[in-house]
Amino acid sequence: MEDVNTSSNSHAWENLFQHHESNGGLSLIERFNANPERGSQLSFSCGDLWVDVSKQSLNAETVELLFQLAREKGVNDFFHSMSKGDVVNLSEEAPALHTSLRNPLPSGMVEENLGRMKELHQKLKTGHLVGYSGKQICSVVNLGIGGSHLGSFMAFEALKDYGNPELEVRWSSGLDIADLEDALLGLDPEQTIVIVCSKTFNTFETLSAARRTQTWFLEGGVNNFSSQMFAATSEPENALTFGIEAENIFSFSSSIGGRFSLASPVSLGLMLSIGYENFDDMLQGMHLIDTDVLANDKNIPLLLGLVDVWNRSVLGANSLAVVPYSYRLREFSSYLQQLMMESLGKSISSTGESIEIETGMAVWGASGTDAQHSFFQALHQGTEIMPIDLIGFAQLSDKTNDELFANLIAQAQTLAFGQDLAEDADSVTEYEFLPGNRPSTVILAPELSPNILGQLIALYEHRTVATGVVWGINPFDQWGVEHGKKAALKIVDELKNSEVSSNHDSSTTSLIARYRHWRND
Ligand code: F6P
């Protein structure tokens, strides 16, 4: 057995590694030949989703051992504690309340958020939302970054067919002025509202952009923009201090993690576009999966998290590609990058011990079939085994797309089995040979609707949390990103005041000098 120090002396981990020792050498072709029922035995429904893990390098015994590991790590107890509002984010001594945002029970979270957002949407839709000069509002600019941008922007693109064609919604997340300039291009300041999304209302990029839009308003003749600026934040006091009017502030609990906040007022821009009913339908899809996770100890989000643990910690794969065969879902992998890598990219456990097992895979991807013309060569013939999620829909923009689906299935098949040597045995050169045995999970859905998007989002949220709990990681904090922010602010001061610190390393010092030279200092 490999000399692996797990994060705790655990029978379940030992059983898994022993199982790998005895089973690990089987190829996917051998696994399928040994069991004609494998495809159906390792495929499961989850809400309206169909999840096929039969092309992963595992078998039914592996799955059972993984569920034993989950039981030993108390994953299901964790989910119940989380949904009850217990403190599960240990380093910040806070609960994680994202599932309460979409729980229709009179918990107050859903009513409070949705009620006011619904009213604003109603005012906009009926033409009663007007700007400083009395003109009807017809455009929205959404400012935010990370969890205050990626999820709602992804959902906006995914649900473009459900959006209000009369409303122009733009998105800006970065510090590069070109980002905001593109978002504002061609908009009439008198007919535009700006939504400043920031959980802390203290993020440099977002507040800089918000100040620039205030200048844009003034230069556009909007002498008083207070009725045209809104905020989505868990720090309403900071928004008030910034100058946002109280009735334009949509607040939510600080115990909602940024990357888990898609169901919160951070998605106000999305909701103004697709409307209250569609937004609520998305929340219902999330809630459907939330309910399943609590009701079923062997739920599919947990299974997918356990497959991630198997691939990362036992098989040693250090990345996960996510490829939706849908143009509208092309932002999904960017959203998952933050959700999964900011949750799982950690080497200290939730109780402060260092973690000895491999954790936190790199998450990346693009939409298919573009991805086939980009990085699939490496997936098929590279030296690195890179597991992949292939996500497909029977109906897209209410049309079937046989070619798109055929490509998804063909890729899953070729990754798993290589080319069928029986057909190509004579003609395959060394360069053409496809080794196969490349694992994939196929997730299928009937259509890309608000409800099913909600189910997909909750599936990956719970998958991420489950993986973290198995690894002993706190999936809800992100201490690793705080230092960089502070260091940047110090260097900004040096650049502005032309006093470069002598404490920098020689690389930083020479880079700053070159930057200043080219900046025409
Ligand atoms: O990247 C660090 C981070 O704190 C993320 O966790 C968060 O989603 C993002 O910055 C934006 O933070 P805020 O919503 O407070 O502006």
Side-chain angles (χ1 to χ4, degrees):
M1 186 181 88
E2 290 180 56
D3 175 20
V4 177
N5 297 317
T6 59
S7 54
S8 65
N9 287 326
S10 148
H11 290 302
W13 273 118
E14 285 172 20
N15 293 343
L16 264 178
F17 282 108
Q18 280 165 6
H19 169 70
H20 174 52
E21 289 291 302
S22 51
N23 264 279
L26 288 175
S27 72
L28 283 169
I29 289 183
E30 289 165 330
R31 293 177 188 275
F32 272 85
N33 291 341
N35 175 6
E37 301 307 311
R38 179 181 172 88
S40 54
Q41 285 174 358
L42 290 172
S43 293
F44 310 91
S45 69
C46 176
D48 295 308
L49 309 174
W50 185 251
V51 178
D52 179 344
V53 298
S54 65
K55 297 191 181 80
Q56 289 287 344
S57 299
L58 48 73
N59 60 25
E61 186 188 355
T62 323
V63 170
E64 189 42 48
L65 290 171
L66 285 166
F67 277 127
Q68 282 176 22
L69 177 62
R71 271 194 297 278
E72 185 179 281
K73 296 296 181 183
V75 176
N76 291 300
D77 294 341
F78 187 96
F79 278 135
H80 284 275
S81 297
M82 182 179 84
S83 70
K84 282 190 304 183
D86 294 349
V87 170
V88 292
N89 174 351
L90 299 185
S91 69
E92 296 176 323
E93 296 173 353
L97 298 178
H98 50 288
T99 54
S100 56
L101 285 169
R102 58 256 195 167
N103 182 340
L105 297 179
S107 62
M109 296 290 284
V110 172
E111 293 318 311
E112 175 208 336
N113 284 322
L114 278 185
R116 292 186 57 229
M117 291 164 74
K118 184 177 178 180
E119 281 167 22
L120 184 66
H121 174 251
Q122 210 50 35
K123 273 179 80 174
L124 179 76
K125 199 168 79 167
T126 55
H128 291 98
L129 187 63
V130 297
Y132 162 74
S133 57
K135 284 185 179 179
Q136 278 188 20
I137 297 300
C138 63
S139 44
V140 177
V141 175
N142 199 88
L143 307 178
I145 197 166
S148 292
H149 166 73
L150 290 166
S152 46
F153 178 56
M154 174 277 294
F156 171 77
E157 291 296 338
L159 301 176
K160 191 66 79 63
D161 297 327
Y162 296 81
N164 173 358
E166 266 88 63
L167 184 71
E168 179 69 21
V169 183
R170 306 276 182 87
W171 304 76
S172 173
S173 61
L175 198 51
D176 182 340
I177 294 174
D179 183 330
L180 182 61
E181 284 174 348
D182 279 6
L184 297 172
L185 192 64
L187 299 184
D188 177 353
E190 294 181 65
Q191 294 189 276
T192 300
I193 60 172
V194 171
I195 305 173
V196 185
C197 296
S198 178
K199 179 182 166 188
T200 58
F201 226 86
N202 190 29
T203 299
F204 185 79
E205 295 93 331
T206 307
L207 299 189
S208 303
R211 289 189 191 93
R212 285 200 204 107
T213 52
Q214 290 175 333
T215 304
W216 176 77
F217 274 128
L218 294 172
E219 288 169 352
V222 179
N223 301 328
N224 181 341
F225 44 71
S226 56
S227 67
Q228 293 172 234
M229 289 199 80
F230 295 77
T233 182
S234 62
E235 301 297 340
E237 288 309 312
N238 291 353
L240 281 170
T241 306
F242 185 83
I244 309 290
E245 288 185 349
E247 67 264 22
N248 286 1
I249 297 173
F250 293 79
S251 61
F252 54 95
S253 165
S254 59
S255 295
I256 308 283
R259 53 192 175 273
F260 294 91
S261 64
L262 213 162
S264 80
V266 157
S267 290
L268 176 60
L270 164 69
M271 206 271 264
L272 292 178
S273 174
I274 65 174
Y276 166 76
E277 288 72 22
N278 286 318
F279 185 75
D280 187 48
D281 200 15
M282 184 182 78
L283 299 194
Q284 288 177 38
M286 292 172 156
H287 184 61
L288 177 71
I289 303 300
D290 297 344
T291 307
D292 178 60
V293 160
L294 294 175
N296 177 358
D297 282 2
K298 292 188 174 181
N299 59 79
I300 302 313
L302 169 55
L303 172 60
L304 291 184
L306 290 168
V307 170
D308 290 335
V309 168
W310 174 251
N311 282 331
R312 183 75 191 96
S313 303
V314 181
L315 302 187
N318 62 16
S319 85
L320 169 70
V322 180
V323 178
Y325 276 68
S326 154
Y327 165 75
R328 293 244 183 273
L329 210 51
R330 64 193 181 283
E331 297 298 336
F332 197 53
S333 57
S334 297
Y335 155 69
L336 291 180
Q337 266 184 347
Q338 187 203 11
L339 174 66
M340 300 179 90
M341 294 180 75
E342 198 166 76
S343 298
L344 302 175
K346 293 158 189 171
S347 50
I348 296 295
S349 78
S350 55
T351 50
E353 287 91 36
S354 68
I355 293 179
E356 279 75 50
I357 47 174
E358 300 295 335
T359 64
M361 62 279 185
V363 177
W364 55 290
S367 59
T369 61
D370 300 70
Q372 294 172 204
H373 300 270
S374 164
F375 51 77
F376 269 56
Q377 163 61 40
L379 293 176
H380 284 291
Q381 292 185 322
T383 55
E384 184 77 26
I385 302 285
M386 297 184 263
I388 181 169
D389 286 0
L390 299 164
I391 303 171
F393 302 87
Q395 299 271 336
L396 283 171
S397 304
D398 68 41
K399 301 179 196 61
T400 57
N401 193 323
D402 294 349
E403 294 78 5
L404 206 51
F405 179 70
N407 271 278
L408 185 159
I409 291 297
Q411 290 302 323
Q413 206 174 39
T414 312
L415 285 165
F417 310 123
Q419 68 266 65
D420 181 340
L421 291 182
E423 288 170 23
D424 310 328
D426 304 334
S427 62
V428 173
T429 64
E430 298 81 0
Y431 311 108
E432 293 169 305
F433 176 64
L434 297 176
N437 215 26
R438 310 285 162 123
S440 68
T441 291
V442 175
I443 299 173
L444 292 189
E447 58 179 346
L448 181 53
S449 65
N451 191 287
I452 285 176
L453 178 65
Q455 294 182 43
L456 262 179
I457 290 162
L459 175 77
Y460 277 88
E461 283 181 343
H462 293 305
R463 164 179 181 170
T464 301
V465 172
T467 307
V469 175
V470 170
W471 279 334
I473 280 170
N474 176 358
F476 302 117
D477 61 8
Q478 55 284 325
W479 296 105
V481 295
E482 299 313 318
H483 176 75
K485 294 178 186 178
K486 296 187 181 83
L489 290 175
K490 276 171 56 184
I491 291 175
V492 166
D493 284 345
E494 290 175 28
L495 291 175
K496 300 277 185 213
N497 305 322
S498 303
E499 287 300 316
V500 179
S501 160
S502 55
N503 298 331
H504 290 309
D505 61 275
S506 55
S507 160
T508 302
T509 300
S510 67
L511 288 168
I512 289 175
R514 178 164 299 279
Y515 169 77
R516 291 174 65 183
H517 168 66
W518 280 338
R519 191 183 65 175
N520 305 323
D521 267 17

